[in-house]
């Protein structure tokens, strides 16, 4: 997918003068570096001291260690998977090759590489992801836990191969700051986890190639920070990687300056990217997880180096952790809201480790779980390692500067997110918040007033997910469209106007009108948005605990419009549709479950599944993966003021 002149003009229109000026400066610096790249200083006597405390590895649970070693052995055999594409070449990877399209990215000066053009460069996510080197942190952790030098030698071979193939400022891996930041964080942990190996110093601090790479990564990040309308999770990753490297690899004349600047950036952008309630302002749950991981990992490096961290940084991470604990369902699954690309900040665990349980376990170790937090029963490797480096929150002073919630929050007014809960694990997320973050709302979906409903952790009315970013524009449009969510569409258009990938030029404005999220009796939510002016879409949701009934009432006021009302079922749910009634069935832990979905009369209802022209009836369980799922769509017209009532009744089990 090549972006045309129109996209760039629309993108420019969303920037302020300061951002435009900064980007002009970036362009001039890139041109200057083409002919006169910066020169790394000579380094002598470098040492690595940011080692793990002795107790850290001993605290890893045996089952977590077993999963990690199993994953490491799979990687040693060359097997892996990125975004649904199996890899069999990880024993000796080609760093510029995309197995999905079979293309190799072109070489040359990094800023000349057309990385957004899949025809020229392949699927950039497939190329970038292995070079985050998070699979190497897994191998290094396997060495640390077992002492088996095969893992360390494989890590060393791959790092030397990568450094040789990716000279500073040459090729596709020197384009995006988030990639450099996460890669630096991985290198810090690789060096830490290999500390007991006799070849660790020869690989890093005594290796001029490694030292040069580490310097150039940090110099790049200092020169080209994400700016203005792009200062979302990317800038947090850049600051976290820069801070981690400047603390752990403090070998350069600029290390102290880079560290202080990165810490200021991290503090500023963690606050900017987070609502006071603790939810991420991008309103994309996966990025809440990514930013929280990055923040915890960055603070761990500062603590390990004895660098004072502003109290506000820990307060934001505390709020983020409490917010995560508040919104997960009874199986610890958070909402599937907004974009998701399966990005992680730090990976030292094997397959089957629950990301969200791991974050809550780390939050418990660092901040302390509140009585209303859901219990975490799983184990992971990352938590004891991070907790060994992080300063416990209670040691910061006499107590937190903000009051933590005394009971589980259900409504986050600043984010417009409300969770209604009922008996037997009924969980319903209602969306009445801002369209997205900053002027471009890059990771937003056109999902105002959408609902997401689960029963015992099973998606019943599902948010279909994301699937892709680049290369497949029809699929990208579908998965972030209004029709692609459990809400109402008018005249075949989205509530918010897209200007292209990662760009919205008009944002629907939502407001929550009423909330009563009591878990006993009847809980209620009501909101409206203006995305279809002059018409207004208002939605009421009521969850009645006694009858286990969820009632959704959509009201449209305004001129005559064509309407489509969609309900996307989870992939585990089968539907028998007769007229305006659907019988839903699924199983959970070997037990059969069912519900009745009574759909609004006056609309013509059809079931769609796995359609491609145009896409309809799909669910994406993760980035790059999709599977057919049933979508029920009702079509008709509205004129003046009209209501559409949907009732979902869970049958007793």
């Amino acid at each position: 997918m090549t972006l045309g002149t129109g996209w760039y003009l629309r993108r420019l229109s969303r920037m302020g003068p300061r951002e435009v000026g900064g980007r002009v400066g970036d362009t001039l610096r890139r041109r200057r570096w083409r002919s006169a790249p910066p020169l790394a200083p000579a380094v002598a006597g470098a040492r690595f001291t940011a080692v793990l405390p002795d107790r850290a590895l001993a605290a890893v649970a045996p089952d977590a260690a077993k999963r990690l070693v199993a994953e490491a052995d799979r990687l040693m055999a060359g097997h892996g998977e990125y975004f649904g594409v199996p890899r069999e070449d990880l024993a000796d990877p080609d760093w510029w090759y995309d197995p999905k399209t079979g293309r190799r990215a072109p070489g040359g000066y990094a800023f000349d590489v057309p990385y957004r053009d899949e025809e020229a460069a392949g699927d950039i996510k497939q190329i970038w992801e292995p070079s985050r080197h998070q699979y190497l942190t897994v191998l290094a952790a396997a060495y640390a836990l077992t002492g088996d030098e095969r893992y360390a030698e494989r890590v060393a071979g791959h790092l030397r191969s990568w450094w040789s193939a990716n000279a500073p400022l040459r090729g596709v891996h020197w384009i995006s700051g988030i990639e450099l930041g996460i890669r630096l964080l991985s290198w810090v942990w690789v060096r830490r986890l290999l500390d007991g190996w006799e070849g660790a110093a020869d690989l890093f601090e005594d290796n001029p190639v490694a030292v040069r790479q580490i310097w150039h990564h940090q110099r790049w990040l200092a020169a080209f920070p994400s700016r203005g309308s792009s200062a979302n999770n990317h800038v947090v990753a850049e600051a976290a990687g820069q801070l981690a490297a400047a603390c752990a690899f403090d070998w350069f004349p600029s290390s102290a300056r880079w560290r202080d600047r990165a810490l200021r950036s991290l503090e500023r952008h963690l606050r900017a990217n987070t609502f006071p309630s603790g939810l991420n302002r991008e309103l994309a749950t996966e990025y809440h997880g990514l930013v929280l991981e990055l923040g915890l990992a960055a603070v761990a490096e500062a603590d390990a180096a004895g660098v004072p961290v502003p109290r506000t940084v820990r307060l934001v991470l505390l709020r983020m952790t409490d917010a995560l604990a508040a919104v997960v369902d009874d199986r610890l699954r958070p909402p599937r809201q907004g974009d998701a690309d399966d990005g992680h900040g730090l990976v030292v665990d094997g397959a089957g480790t629950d990301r969200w349980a791991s974050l809550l376990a780390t939050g418990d170790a660092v901040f302390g779980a509140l009585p209303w937090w859901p219990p975490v029963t799983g184990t992971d490797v990352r938590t004891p390692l991070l907790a060994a480096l992080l300063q416990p929150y209670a040691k910061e002073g006499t107590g937190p500067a903000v009051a933590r919630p005394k009971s589980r929050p259900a409504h986050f007014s600043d984010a417009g997110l409300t969770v209604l809960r009922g008996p037997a694990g009924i969980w319903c997320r209602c969306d009445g918040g801002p369209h997205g973050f900053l002027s471009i709302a890059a990771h937003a979906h056109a999902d105002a007033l959408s609902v997401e409903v689960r029963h015992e952790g099973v998606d019943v009315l599902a948010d279909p997910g994301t699937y892709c970013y680049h290369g497949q524009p029809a699929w990208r449009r579908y998965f972030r469209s209004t029709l692609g969510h459990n809400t109402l569409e008018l005249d075949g258009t989205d509530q918010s106007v897209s200007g292209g990938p990662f760009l919205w030029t008009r944002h629907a404005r939502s407001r929550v009108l009423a909330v009563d999220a009591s878990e006993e009796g009847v809980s209620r939510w009501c909101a409206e948005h203006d995305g279809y002016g002059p018409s207004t879409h208002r939605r009421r949701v009521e969850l009645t605990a006694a009858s286990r009934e969820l009632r959704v009432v959509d009201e449209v006021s305004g001129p005559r419009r064509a309407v489509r009302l969609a309900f996307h079922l989870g992939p585990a749910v089968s539907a028998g549709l007769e007229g305006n009634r659907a019988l839903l069935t699924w199983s959970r832990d070997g037990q059969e479950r069912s519900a009745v979905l009574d759909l609004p009369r006056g609309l013509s209802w059809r079931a769609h599944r796995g359609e491609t022209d145009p896409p309809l009836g799909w669910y994406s369980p993760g980035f790059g993966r999709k599977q057919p799922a049933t979508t029920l769509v009702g079509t008709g017209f509205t004129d003046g003021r009209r209501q559409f009532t949907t009732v979902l009744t869970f049958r007793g089990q």
Side-chain angles (χ1 to χ4, degrees):
M1 177 175 56
T2 303
L3 300 178
T5 303
W7 184 89
Y8 286 99
L9 291 174
R10 290 189 295 272
R11 183 67 181 84
L12 181 64
S13 72
R14 309 302 291 179
M15 301 180 192
R18 185 174 181 180
E19 180 179 357
V20 171
R23 289 178 181 268
V24 169
D26 291 347
T27 300
L28 295 175
R29 183 176 292 110
R30 288 167 183 155
R31 290 177 179 174
R32 185 170 68 250
W33 282 15
R34 179 197 299 276
S35 57
L39 296 176
V43 171
R47 292 293 178 263
F48 183 84
T49 59
V51 298
L52 280 171
D54 292 338
R55 69 185 186 278
L57 293 171
V60 175
D63 60 327
K66 183 178 179 180
R67 290 195 305 273
L68 169 69
V69 172
E71 179 68 12
D73 288 342
R74 191 168 74 99
L75 292 167
M76 290 290 288
H79 307 312
E81 181 179 308
Y82 293 103
F83 311 129
V85 178
R87 296 288 294 261
E88 304 297 334
D89 61 341
L90 291 185
D92 184 20
D94 179 341
W95 302 108
W96 293 6
Y97 176 69
D98 165 29
K100 179 180 170 183
T101 64
R103 299 184 179 94
R104 292 188 82 248
Y109 185 55
F111 299 113
D112 292 340
V113 176
Y115 70 98
R116 291 190 177 100
D117 185 350
E118 191 170 291
E119 292 296 320
D123 185 331
I124 196 62
K125 292 283 289 179
Q126 290 288 341
I127 297 172
W128 277 346
E129 194 70 16
S131 287
R132 290 186 171 187
H133 289 167
Q134 292 175 326
Y135 79 96
L136 295 183
T137 56
V138 171
L139 292 174
Y143 164 76
L145 288 169
T146 67
D148 189 334
E149 294 189 355
R150 293 181 307 117
Y151 301 121
E153 290 164 354
R154 176 63 59 82
V155 171
H158 281 205
L159 283 178
R160 294 183 191 277
S161 167
W162 195 93
W163 291 331
S164 175
N166 295 280
L169 302 177
R170 309 302 294 178
V172 73
H173 296 300
W174 290 88
I175 297 172
S176 174
I178 188 174
E179 304 304 317
L180 276 73
I182 291 177
R183 191 155 54 239
L184 277 176
L185 189 58
S186 295
W187 291 353
V188 169
W189 274 88
V190 165
R191 176 61 184 87
R192 172 176 291 127
L193 293 165
L194 293 185
D195 191 62
W197 180 52
E198 63 179 9
D202 287 340
L203 179 61
F204 278 93
E205 54 265 33
D206 295 338
N207 179 1
V209 174
V211 171
R212 181 168 173 256
Q213 284 273 351
I214 292 168
W215 184 88
H216 273 284
H217 272 66
Q218 295 185 81
R219 181 68 184 91
W220 193 109
L221 290 173
F224 303 114
S226 293
R227 303 178 184 277
S229 57
S230 293
N232 52 15
N233 64 87
H234 283 234
V235 76
V236 175
E238 294 158 11
Q242 180 80 293
L243 177 60
C247 288
F249 302 140
D250 58 342
W251 308 329
F252 309 105
S254 298
S255 289
R257 177 166 53 86
W258 287 339
R259 181 198 66 210
D260 294 344
R261 179 176 174 179
L263 188 54
R264 289 195 301 270
S265 177
L266 184 72
E267 192 273 339
R268 173 189 172 193
H269 290 291
L270 275 177
R271 285 190 293 106
N273 276 259
T274 308
F275 285 112
S277 66
L279 289 179
N280 184 265
R281 285 186 185 271
E282 293 198 74
L283 296 172
T285 310
E286 288 276 346
Y287 289 108
H288 182 107
L290 174 63
V291 169
L292 181 54
E293 288 174 356
L294 290 166
L296 289 168
V299 172
E301 296 305 328
D303 286 351
V307 174
V309 175
R311 190 174 184 80
T312 49
V313 171
R314 296 186 203 270
L315 286 173
V316 171
L317 298 176
L318 169 62
R319 292 190 190 105
M320 292 183 72
T321 307
D322 280 342
L324 176 62
V327 300
V328 295
D329 64 23
D330 61 352
R331 303 297 174 111
L332 300 186
R333 293 182 61 219
R336 284 167 52 90
Q337 184 177 19
D339 270 350
D341 70 349
D342 298 353
H344 290 257
L346 174 65
V347 179
V348 286
D349 273 286
T353 301
D354 189 312
R355 174 187 197 174
W356 307 104
S358 171
L359 277 170
L360 291 176
T362 304
D364 185 8
V366 178
F367 304 119
L370 294 172
W372 54 263
W373 275 29
V376 177
T377 56
T379 62
D380 68 304
V381 175
R382 188 178 64 187
T383 288
L385 303 189
L386 276 177
L389 299 175
L390 282 160
Q391 178 178 313
Y393 187 77
K395 293 183 179 180
E396 282 265 294
T398 58
V402 294
R404 298 176 70 183
K406 296 186 182 301
S407 59
R408 180 171 56 192
H411 176 58
F412 297 80
S413 59
D414 47 14
L417 185 149
T418 304
V419 176
L420 307 180
R421 299 177 189 265
I426 298 174
W427 176 99
C428 174
R429 172 181 66 87
C430 304
D431 178 8
H435 175 61
F437 183 47
L438 301 175
S439 62
I440 62 173
H443 290 296
H445 290 185
D447 57 357
L449 309 196
S450 64
V451 296
E452 184 183 2
V453 181
R454 299 179 191 154
H455 182 268
E456 299 174 327
V458 174
D459 291 310
V460 179
L461 301 181
D463 184 310
T466 298
Y467 178 54
C468 66
Y469 282 168
H470 301 284
Q472 302 177 76
W475 290 101
R476 175 68 171 150
R477 284 193 298 270
Y478 169 69
F479 274 98
R480 64 179 193 155
S481 70
T482 299
L483 182 63
H485 295 83
N486 297 315
T487 188
L488 183 144
E489 176 206 78
L490 294 181
D491 289 344
T493 61
D494 289 335
Q495 312 150 335
S496 295
V497 177
S498 171
F502 308 107
L503 173 61
W504 296 90
T505 56
R506 185 177 61 77
H507 304 178
R509 293 176 299 177
S510 303
R511 60 173 184 152
V512 176
L513 303 174
V515 174
D516 178 2
S518 170
E519 295 184 24
E520 299 180 1
V522 181
S523 47
R524 297 178 174 88
W525 172 88
C526 181
E528 65 183 17
H529 76 82
D530 67 355
Y532 289 123
S535 299
T536 298
H537 175 205
R538 178 176 294 182
R539 169 169 277 187
R540 300 197 311 273
V541 177
E542 296 182 353
L543 176 59
T544 304
S547 59
R548 306 206 305 179
E549 175 187 284
L550 185 78
R551 180 177 295 266
V552 180
V553 180
D554 291 292
E555 182 178 290
V556 181
S557 59
R560 180 178 174 85
R561 312 282 289 268
V563 61
R564 286 195 291 186
L565 179 60
F567 291 104
H568 299 262
L569 308 183
V573 178
S574 299
L577 178 64
E578 294 186 6
N580 70 314
R581 168 169 283 197
L583 175 62
L584 313 183
T585 57
W586 66 95
S587 63
R588 178 59 160 164
D589 299 330
Q591 300 295 316
E592 296 301 314
R593 301 286 188 258
S594 64
V596 174
L597 185 62
D598 286 309
L599 299 159
R601 297 181 181 276
L603 297 178
S604 177
W605 288 93
R606 284 187 56 198
H608 303 263
R609 184 177 179 86
E611 299 172 9
T612 59
D613 189 19
L616 186 58
W618 295 91
Y619 178 94
S620 175
F623 194 83
R625 293 173 287 156
K626 67 180 187 300
Q627 62 190 96
T630 300
T631 297
L632 305 174
V633 179
T635 59
F637 293 90
T638 180
D639 194 357
R641 182 181 297 272
R642 188 170 179 187
Q643 288 189 351
F644 305 95
T645 300
T646 305
V647 180
L648 174 65
T649 306
F650 292 93
R651 292 183 168 179
Q653 284 93 22

